[in-house]
Amino acid sequence: MPEVILLDLKLPKIGGLEVLRRMRADERTRRIPVVVLTSSNEEKDILTSYDLGANSFVRKPVDFAQFVEAARQLGLYWLVMNEAPPS
């Protein structure tokens, strides 16, 4: 199982919020930390993400170098500093 999931809201066949809803409803994936990483700046998306159990909401930087740095920092926090629930 993954240690953390970076989830975009804008997916081709099923929306990211529906993916999150299904993950939280499934016992196998319920506790995996989910970081919504998206270009959306809609307040509704932020609120719904947290209501559905997202652990964090991060806007994707447009600049590639800034995106790479944001991904690095997310990895550092969620994979090194964060203590995940026991499996």
Side-chain angles (χ1 to χ4, degrees):
M1 290 300 249
E3 295 289 322
V4 65
I5 293 175
L6 303 179
L7 179 63
D8 197 342
L9 296 183
K10 312 248 188 295
L11 300 173
K13 292 191 179 196
I14 181 172
L17 293 173
E18 181 60 26
V19 171
L20 181 57
R21 182 178 285 110
R22 291 180 187 188
M23 285 182 60
R24 293 307 187 227
D26 188 322
E27 185 66 34
R28 297 168 299 169
T29 56
R30 179 173 293 149
R31 290 191 181 104
I32 297 173
V34 174
V35 176
V36 174
L37 182 62
T38 186
S39 58
S40 173
N41 60 2
E42 298 290 324
E43 185 176 297
K44 178 183 172 206
D45 287 339
I46 298 168
L47 293 172
T48 304
S49 294
Y50 281 115
D51 287 347
L52 292 175
N55 299 92
S56 183
F57 189 100
V58 177
R59 282 195 194 92
K60 276 195 271 189
V62 177
D63 177 76
F64 182 71
Q66 290 176 345
F67 174 78
V68 170
E69 178 59 17
R72 186 191 71 74
Q73 289 181 22
L74 285 169
L76 176 65
Y77 176 76
W78 287 104
L79 298 174
V80 177
M81 298 178 71
N82 183 60
E83 186 167 336
S87 46

